[in-house]
Amino acid sequence: MQSIDDMHERWERLNQVMRDRLNRASDNFRSSADAYDGNETRMAHDFSGIYR
C-alpha cells in the first residue's frame, strides 16, 4: 500500500507543477494579448514616416 501512496504523492506534485506552468503560460499569453493593440499602434507610428 505504501507504493500506491508514494505514487499518488508523486502524481500530485507533478500535477501541481503542470498547473503552475499552465497558469504562468496563460498569464503570459494574456499579458501579450493585452499589449498587442498598444504595440501595434506604437509600431505603426514609428514606421509611419519612413516612406514619405
Side-chain angles (χ1 to χ4, degrees), residues 41 43-52:
T41 302
M43 290 294 286
H45 176 61
D46 290 346
F47 287 104
S48 65
I50 288 179
Y51 296 111
R52 288 185 188 182

Side-chain angles (χ1 to χ4, degrees), residues 8-37:
H8 177 74
E9 183 179 331
R10 286 193 307 266
W11 171 254
E12 288 301 324
R13 287 193 312 249
L14 176 61
N15 192 12
Q16 185 62 50
V17 167
M18 294 303 296
R19 285 194 315 259
D20 291 345
R21 287 185 180 187
L22 286 170
N23 284 333
R24 192 173 326 125
S26 68
D27 289 344
N28 289 342
F29 185 79
R30 188 177 302 109
S31 176
S32 177
D34 288 346
Y36 179 80
D37 284 338

